[in-house]
């Protein structure tokens, strides 16, 4: 996927090679650990090894954002009802310089495409409450009460695919 302005062109792809995966983890460290003060020991978890990671990369090679999809038993452990047909979108991070370019929405759509390709029927996520509007615009609906995660208020959300 590319932005309309060629100077801001980027592609979103599955992070399959080691360099892409390292870029994903580096962006998460910048956004969650450095900016939001999430403890590093809880930012990275056992799910990372088997999760599908997506990365947005500008034409010059600069990584702009990342997200991950949990599926199967890993997703069932995290979603609202334990359903293995519901994926879990998480760790969505966009670098400060790329915010407002549509990167976050492109990453969400890439995760949804990967979920559909795996036969999943819906995607759940835990949204920071300040980001509820962003996810609502992408078709997600909040459910359940607000809860803290890493000291940050969140709500569960779901989108049926």
């Amino acid at each position: 996927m590319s932005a309309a302005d060629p100077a801001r062109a980027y592609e979103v792809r599955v992070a399959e090679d080691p360099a892409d995966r390292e870029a994903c983890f580096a962006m998460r460290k910048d956004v969650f650990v450095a900016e939001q003060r999430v403890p590093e020991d809880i930012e990275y978890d056992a799910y990372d090894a088997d999760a599908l990671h997506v990365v947005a990369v500008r034409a010059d090679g600069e990584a702009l954002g990342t997200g991950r999809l949990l599926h199967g038993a890993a997703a069932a452990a995290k979603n609202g009802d334990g359903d293995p047909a519901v994926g879990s979108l998480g760790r969505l991070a966009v670098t400060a310089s790329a915010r407002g370019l549509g990167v976050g929405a492109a990453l969400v759509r890439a995760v949804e495409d990967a979920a559909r390709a795996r036969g999943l029927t819906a995607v759940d996520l835990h949204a920071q409450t300040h980001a509820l509007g962003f996810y609502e615009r992408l078709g997600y609906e909040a459910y359940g009460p607000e809860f803290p995660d890493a000291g940050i208020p969140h709500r569960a959300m779901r989108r049926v695919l």
Side-chain angles (χ1 to χ4, degrees):
M1 179 170 297
S2 295
D5 178 351
R8 296 180 175 187
Y10 59 88
E11 71 169 325
V12 177
R13 62 183 181 239
V14 174
E16 293 178 317
D17 69 56
D20 277 352
R21 289 179 68 92
E22 283 302 314
C24 292
F25 296 132
M27 284 182 286
R28 285 171 45 187
K29 186 172 185 173
D30 288 347
V31 172
F32 297 122
V33 178
E35 282 184 38
Q36 297 184 355
R37 307 281 188 245
V38 171
E40 192 166 359
D41 62 330
I42 65 172
E43 172 51 32
Y44 306 101
D45 59 27
Y47 297 116
D48 280 327
D50 295 323
L52 177 133
H53 299 268
V54 294
V55 62
V57 181
R58 201 167 58 194
D60 66 4
E62 181 182 346
L64 304 175
T66 186
R68 78 175 185 187
L69 172 67
L70 303 181
H71 47 89
K78 292 187 79 68
N79 69 41
D81 50 15
D83 185 348
V86 177
S88 179
L89 185 158
R91 304 307 201 264
L92 187 72
V94 175
T95 62
S97 64
R99 293 178 192 150
L101 302 179
V103 173
L107 289 163
V108 169
R109 295 304 186 219
V111 166
E112 292 170 350
D113 290 345
R116 278 188 203 89
R118 283 159 180 73
L120 303 179
T121 59
V123 173
D124 264 21
L125 57 87
H126 293 164
Q128 294 180 7
T129 55
H130 72 83
L132 288 172
F134 166 77
Y135 289 111
E136 287 168 345
R137 287 188 295 278
L138 294 173
Y140 287 80
E141 294 181 14
Y143 66 90
E146 184 176 294
F147 61 92
D149 188 359
I152 301 168
H154 282 70
R155 290 278 312 273
M157 301 187 85
R158 176 173 289 183
R159 179 169 187 249
V160 175
L161 299 176

